């Protein structure tokens, strides 16, 4: 877990209204909801880069919206979580949304990411890894997008292989 997510978890243990305020911040552009300032600014106060600051606010809101008490599951990268949702649901719309997310520019990203995280409500997301990837979203080589796509398709391939293996075992009985 990243230091930032640990920071949010610590704030949440002291006062659960933190999550409500950060969730409400998702209705605004990242970093533009003043009630969220006390919860994020102490962590990013030395951060001068506007994009990085916005991503901290966005991830804080997504973390708050997705938070579940007592979740014991191991958190996973976003690409893996999307693939598990796709494999479990069998719907191609998850994959289409995932590809749209990977293709999002700076202005589209917060909206598409909010939609995707809402869709993944049953999956345990690694918000530290999510933040790390978002900080490098604008890399000209699209390393974050490539990493998420690798996680997605590798997980789908593994799920398909496991399903095929179980079918073969069933047929051999």
């Amino acid at each position: 877990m990243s230091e930032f997510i640990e920071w949010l978890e610590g704030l949440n243990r002291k006062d659960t209204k933190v999550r409500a305020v950060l969730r409400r911040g998702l209705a605004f552009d990242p970093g533009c909801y003043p009630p969220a300032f006390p919860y994020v600014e102490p962590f990013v106060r030395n951060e001068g880069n506007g994009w990085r600051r916005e991503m901290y606010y966005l991830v804080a809101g997504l973390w708050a919206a997705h938070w579940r008490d007592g979740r014991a599951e191991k958190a996973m990268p976003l690409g893996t979580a999307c693939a598990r949702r796709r494999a479990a649901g069998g719907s191609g719309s998850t994959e289409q949304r995932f590809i749209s997310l990977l293709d999002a520019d700076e202005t589209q990203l917060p909206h598409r990411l909010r939609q995707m995280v809402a869709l993944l409500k049953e999956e345990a997301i690694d918000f530290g890894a999510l933040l790390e990837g978002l900080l490098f979203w604008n890399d000209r080589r699209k390393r974050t997008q490539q990493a998420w796509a690798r996680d997605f398709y590798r997980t789908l391939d593994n799920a398909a292989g496991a399903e095929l293996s179980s079918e073969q075992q069933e047929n051999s009985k």
Side-chain angles (χ1 to χ4, degrees):
M1 188 181 315
S2 79
E3 287 179 48
F4 182 59
I5 301 304
E6 288 176 12
W7 162 263
L8 295 176
E9 289 284 353
L11 291 173
N12 181 57
R13 280 190 292 277
K14 294 176 187 171
D15 185 358
T16 57
K17 82 172 187 174
V18 170
R19 288 193 325 270
V21 170
L22 294 174
R23 270 193 316 267
R24 176 76 175 115
L26 288 174
F28 299 83
D29 288 336
C32 292
Y33 183 58
F37 294 172
Y39 307 117
V40 180
E41 282 304 315
F43 197 86
V44 298
R45 66 182 168 267
N46 296 324
E47 188 62 60
N49 180 313
W51 175 257
R52 292 178 63 88
R53 291 178 74 78
E54 288 177 18
M55 293 305 97
Y56 275 91
Y57 277 95
L58 178 60
V59 169
L62 294 170
W63 167 85
H66 195 71
W67 190 87
R68 303 288 185 273
D69 188 23
R71 178 169 277 183
E73 302 170 66
K74 182 174 175 3
M76 64 190 91
L78 188 74
T80 302
C82 289
R84 284 186 48 170
R85 166 91 169 117
R86 166 69 169 90
S91 168
S93 68
T94 301
E95 184 173 5
Q96 292 167 346
R97 285 177 186 238
F98 180 69
I99 291 170
S100 291
L101 172 63
L102 295 180
D103 193 37
D105 63 23
E106 289 180 16
T107 60
Q108 300 164 332
L109 182 63
H111 175 72
R112 290 187 182 169
L113 199 51
R114 283 191 303 266
Q115 287 183 324
M116 183 58 73
V117 169
L119 185 67
L120 299 173
K121 64 182 177 245
E122 299 303 320
E123 304 296 336
I125 298 171
D126 182 344
F127 284 96
L130 177 66
L131 175 61
E132 187 65 31
L134 291 174
L135 294 177
F136 297 100
W137 188 260
N138 295 317
D139 176 71
R140 67 178 180 80
R141 295 184 61 202
K142 304 286 185 195
R143 292 178 195 171
T144 295
Q145 293 88 330
Q146 289 178 24
W148 291 4
R150 277 191 304 274
D151 288 344
F152 181 85
Y153 289 105
R154 190 175 298 134
T155 302
L156 276 184
D157 286 346
N158 290 342
E163 188 176 306
L164 182 60
S165 177
S166 344
E167 286 177 13
Q168 289 172 342
Q169 288 177 358
E170 290 285 322
N171 292 336
S172 67
K173 291 182 181 180

